Amino acid sequence: MSKRLRSSEVCADCSAQDPCWASINRGILICDECCSVHRSLGRHISQVRHLKHTPWPPTLLQMVETLYNNGANSIWEHSLLDPASVMSGRRKASPQDKVHPNKAEFIRAKYQMLAFVHRLPCREDDSVTAKDLSKQLHSSVRTGNLETCLRLLSLGAQANFFHPEKGNTPLHVAAKAGQTLQAELLAVYGADPGTQDSNGKTPVDYARQGGHHELAERLVEIQYELTDRLAFYLCGRKPEHKNGQHFVIPQMADRRLLDLSELAKAAKKKLQSLSNHLFEELAMDVYDEVDRRETDAVWLATQNHSTLVTETTVVPFLPVNPEYSSTRNQGRQKLARFNAHEFATLVIDILSDAKRRQQGNPLAGSKDNVELILKSISNQHSSESQDNDQPDYDSVASDEDTDLETNAAKSNRQKSLDSDLSDGPVTAQEYMQVKNALVASEVKIQQLMKVNINLSDELRVMQKKASKLEKQSSVSESDYDNPTTPLELEETGAGRKGRQRSVIWQGEGSIPEDTDTAPSSSLPSTEDVIRKTEQITKNIQELLRAAQENKHDSYIPCSERIHVAVTEMAALFPKKPKSELVRTSLRLLTSSAYRLQSECKKTLPVETCPTTDIQLVTQQVIQCAYDIAKAAKQLVTITTKENNN
């Protein structure tokens, strides 16, 4: 932080003197007390970094300084600047206010609820408003006015907006104009340096073409920010991107610490078998946990261990991100229970596999690895030697004091770890392809799958019941659990009606009623039911992937495979089950599979019948998949319970 700023700096939230922290994505400086609240909100709300005791890329720090000096805080306190707000009693926090509840409530209202941000006039079509804002952002980034761009981003402009007429994104424009600070701001809000424009060029290409070589190098660093941060956390080193070395893979110096058990090998194979989508989610979660641990270490080193530290600043695990599923949030929180060695092992595995995936190296025996993943889905949260409270990603996590262990590990990491620098060929675009697809589909997917707490809780209860089976099966497996599974598909409001209808659906897929057959109480083996459930789950995953990537032509073949798997599972059960619960579950399973096929067929005549609402169809497809997964899980639970009795 430059000396010329230090004399006049105050906390953006309470006006305390000499703030020591910055909120990067808000463009403000904050004091210790307010920072403690920011940290509890999570990185999706505020990305905090210490001004002195945390390494800063120079241009990122310059970006925050510029925003702070140009009144970025007025964006988040717009309505408080209105004299009428004083008359109404609305005011910002003061240095004398208590952290809880005064400062905490104000900060949550300011950044989480955006209670004081300028509101645009209500319009019927919000998408048009977002598009207009994004176009303004696209034009503004060619200038040096950061505050204008932050204001547009706060109102809903998209950092990765692809301009249909210009054929590029705001980051392409900023890179071509040499606007380094604009590029930093866009990157903080998710802009992807690997995105190609209509000519197949990336922002890095345009920066180099314009002679902005430092900006080009910085954009490459941003591309590898995740893996660079993980490597630096373990060994204090980053790769030399200028020399084409894009990965540092730390290795345990003491080989005796390596876990070579079958469980560890299975866990590593499973990590390698995750889809690019799920692997990226896991890597991002570990990145957030690294940030939490490093910030904790800085916090403990800079405080006086007063009441402030011990009572109001504890962030024991990653805060909940409402944009993520409940399963993923649980897994993120349990990362905090990994001790230093366990967490380092996970980080090294992620770095190694990120390198392999980028360079396109094939994985031997991929079918076996996929089977490991599918098996873990049916036995999620379960293991022969672990209960349901153990971490989602690794069965060996402990309850030890990770803060102390992490600090000790960080102080000795140069002694305990060495580095193996990679100098292999690199294609940056290859590594970023999945991220591009995710950004493009994020809004659509969020609209399609909203969280329904009751159903999620119901599924978790069923999963816990079914998990008891593992204690009677072969040796349990340790794994990096799938952060999100089709068995926890969240339903939309429109889908709830479909779920109710599917229970009484009478069609081709309904379970036949054989009046001549006597009711049977016999049930198939739990192992057979689980095996068929795994096949159904695998096919549902393929369907969801098609929905995320807008590959509507894949709906019908996916639905056919699901129908076949459902038919095979239903055939395991007697024609006339004695249990009403079994009959109900089978009816839901088969009728939902039939209805899924019917919904998927609606994607066929898109060219001849342009009135087809693809979004509504996709919504119904996802709902059908949810019903199938739910019914299959119910049947696993029932057979497990009955066979154990």
Side-chain angles (χ1 to χ4, degrees), residues 148-371:
T148 296
C149 292
L150 181 60
R151 190 179 301 277
L152 291 168
L153 289 165
S154 73
L155 293 173
Q158 299 299 305
N160 265 320
F161 173 72
F162 191 89
H163 199 297
E165 291 83 23
K166 306 293 185 181
N168 57 13
T169 69
L171 192 54
H172 284 95
V173 177
K176 189 173 183 179
Q179 292 291 345
T180 302
L181 302 189
Q182 294 283 22
E184 290 282 2
L185 177 61
L186 290 169
V188 166
Y189 275 82
D192 181 5
T195 300
Q196 296 183 353
D197 66 0
S198 55
N199 296 319
K201 293 186 176 181
T202 68
V204 178
D205 296 328
Y206 281 107
R208 287 174 178 157
Q209 184 178 310
H212 311 298
H213 299 296
E214 291 185 359
L215 173 56
E217 291 172 1
R218 175 61 183 146
L219 289 173
V220 172
E221 289 180 358
I222 291 172
Q223 279 186 290
Y224 291 92
E225 179 185 358
L226 190 152
T227 49
D228 284 3
R229 179 78 177 271
L230 298 189
F232 189 82
Y233 170 75
L234 289 184
C235 64
R237 299 179 63 185
K238 291 183 179 181
E240 293 290 336
H241 297 293
K242 295 180 183 178
N243 301 329
Q245 297 173 336
H246 295 290
F247 290 92
V248 171
I249 311 296
Q251 296 179 342
M252 293 292 182
D254 188 349
R255 300 293 175 179
R256 292 173 299 177
L257 295 176
L258 292 176
D259 189 351
L260 300 178
S261 67
E262 290 303 315
L263 296 182
K265 292 177 182 177
K268 189 168 185 177
K269 286 184 70 177
K270 179 167 297 193
L271 174 68
Q272 294 171 341
S273 299
L274 289 176
S275 67
N276 286 338
H277 178 157
L278 294 174
F279 176 78
E280 186 180 66
E281 286 188 348
L282 175 58
M284 290 190 295
D285 293 343
V286 171
Y287 175 94
D288 286 350
E289 176 64 14
V290 164
D291 182 83
R292 187 194 70 82
R293 293 188 181 209
E294 288 192 330
T295 305
D296 271 347
V298 172
W299 188 273
L300 292 171
T302 57
Q303 302 303 308
N304 60 7
H305 299 273
S306 64
T307 303
L308 169 68
V309 177
T310 57
E311 294 184 3
T312 65
T313 63
V314 174
V315 182
F317 45 72
L318 290 174
V320 171
N321 184 338
E323 296 295 320
Y324 297 159
S325 69
S326 57
T327 302
R328 184 175 177 185
N329 274 311
Q330 289 171 0
R332 284 165 56 85
Q333 291 181 352
K334 289 178 181 179
L335 284 172
R337 298 175 69 176
F338 283 39
N339 64 31
H341 172 254
E342 293 155 358
F343 191 62
T345 302
L346 175 57
V347 170
I348 291 171
D349 285 349
I350 288 176
L351 286 170
S352 300
D353 209 51
K355 175 184 174 183
R356 178 189 65 80
R357 290 169 187 254
Q358 182 192 12
Q359 296 180 347
N361 295 334
L363 187 65
S366 58
K367 291 184 179 179
D368 293 336
N369 294 335
V370 171
E371 288 302 315

Side-chain angles (χ1 to χ4, degrees), residues 539-552:
N539 293 327
I540 288 178
Q541 284 178 315
E542 293 177 358
L543 179 62
L544 287 182
R545 201 171 297 119
Q548 288 179 318
E549 298 173 358
N550 294 320
K551 294 181 179 178
H552 305 123

Side-chain angles (χ1 to χ4, degrees), residues 1 4 24 28 73 130 141 150 174 179 197 209 252 256 308 317 368 427 449 475 499 537 543 596 628 632 636:
M1 183 61 67
R4 59 186 173 80
I24 299 173
I28 58 169
N73 195 43
V141 294
L150 181 60
Q179 292 291 345
D197 66 0
Q209 184 178 310
M252 293 292 182
R256 292 173 299 177
L308 169 68
F317 45 72
D368 293 336
T427 305
M449 297 190 294
V475 178
R499 179 174 61 84
T537 299
L543 179 62
L596 175 65
I628 293 169
V636 170

Side-chain angles (χ1 to χ4, degrees), residues 292-536:
R292 187 194 70 82
R293 293 188 181 209
E294 288 192 330
T295 305
D296 271 347
V298 172
W299 188 273
L300 292 171
T302 57
Q303 302 303 308
N304 60 7
H305 299 273
S306 64
T307 303
L308 169 68
V309 177
T310 57
E311 294 184 3
T312 65
T313 63
V314 174
V315 182
F317 45 72
L318 290 174
V320 171
N321 184 338
E323 296 295 320
Y324 297 159
S325 69
S326 57
T327 302
R328 184 175 177 185
N329 274 311
Q330 289 171 0
R332 284 165 56 85
Q333 291 181 352
K334 289 178 181 179
L335 284 172
R337 298 175 69 176
F338 283 39
N339 64 31
H341 172 254
E342 293 155 358
F343 191 62
T345 302
L346 175 57
V347 170
I348 291 171
D349 285 349
I350 288 176
L351 286 170
S352 300
D353 209 51
K355 175 184 174 183
R356 178 189 65 80
R357 290 169 187 254
Q358 182 192 12
Q359 296 180 347
N361 295 334
L363 187 65
S366 58
K367 291 184 179 179
D368 293 336
N369 294 335
V370 171
E371 288 302 315
L372 276 173
I373 298 173
L374 295 176
K375 186 169 184 178
S376 75
I377 292 175
S378 293
N379 298 290
Q380 207 176 107
H381 307 303
S382 69
S383 159
E384 190 172 71
S385 60
Q386 98 186 62
D387 60 26
N388 290 330
D389 291 329
Q390 291 300 308
D392 285 343
Y393 300 123
D394 194 336
S395 69
V396 297
S398 70
D399 292 320
E400 297 175 33
D401 187 344
T402 55
D403 286 339
L404 297 178
E405 289 185 359
T406 301
N407 291 333
K410 286 171 70 66
S411 65
N412 295 298
R413 59 189 174 189
Q414 291 290 0
K415 299 178 182 179
S416 62
L417 296 163
D418 57 42
S419 300
D420 172 27
L421 291 175
S422 165
D423 56 359
V426 175
T427 305
Q429 289 78 8
E430 184 179 348
Y431 181 60
M432 305 302 292
Q433 282 178 350
V434 175
K435 185 176 177 182
N436 294 342
L438 288 175
V439 171
S441 64
E442 181 67 23
V443 175
K444 179 78 172 288
I445 298 302
Q446 288 300 325
Q447 290 173 343
L448 296 178
M449 297 190 294
K450 297 295 183 182
V451 175
N452 183 293
I453 298 176
N454 292 335
L455 281 176
S456 295
D457 290 343
E458 180 183 345
L459 283 174
R460 281 196 296 275
V461 170
M462 288 191 291
Q463 286 174 329
K464 289 180 179 179
K465 291 180 180 178
S467 69
K468 296 178 181 178
L469 169 68
E470 185 68 10
K471 295 181 179 180
Q472 301 179 13
S473 62
S474 58
V475 178
S476 61
E477 296 185 79
S478 166
D479 57 73
Y480 302 104
D481 269 351
N482 202 332
T484 54
T485 74
L487 298 182
E488 293 211 17
L489 294 175
E490 291 91 9
E491 65 173 348
T492 62
R496 281 193 289 272
K497 296 179 181 178
R499 179 174 61 84
Q500 294 163 357
R501 286 197 300 269
S502 68
V503 175
I504 58 174
W505 182 278
Q506 296 298 321
E508 178 182 324
S510 298
I511 182 171
E513 295 289 344
D514 189 345
T515 56
D516 296 331
T517 303
S520 173
S521 59
S522 64
L523 293 176
S525 70
T526 306
E527 291 77 8
D528 288 342
V529 175
I530 286 180
R531 188 160 51 248
K532 294 301 181 183
T533 300
E534 289 171 353
Q535 187 60 44
I536 293 173

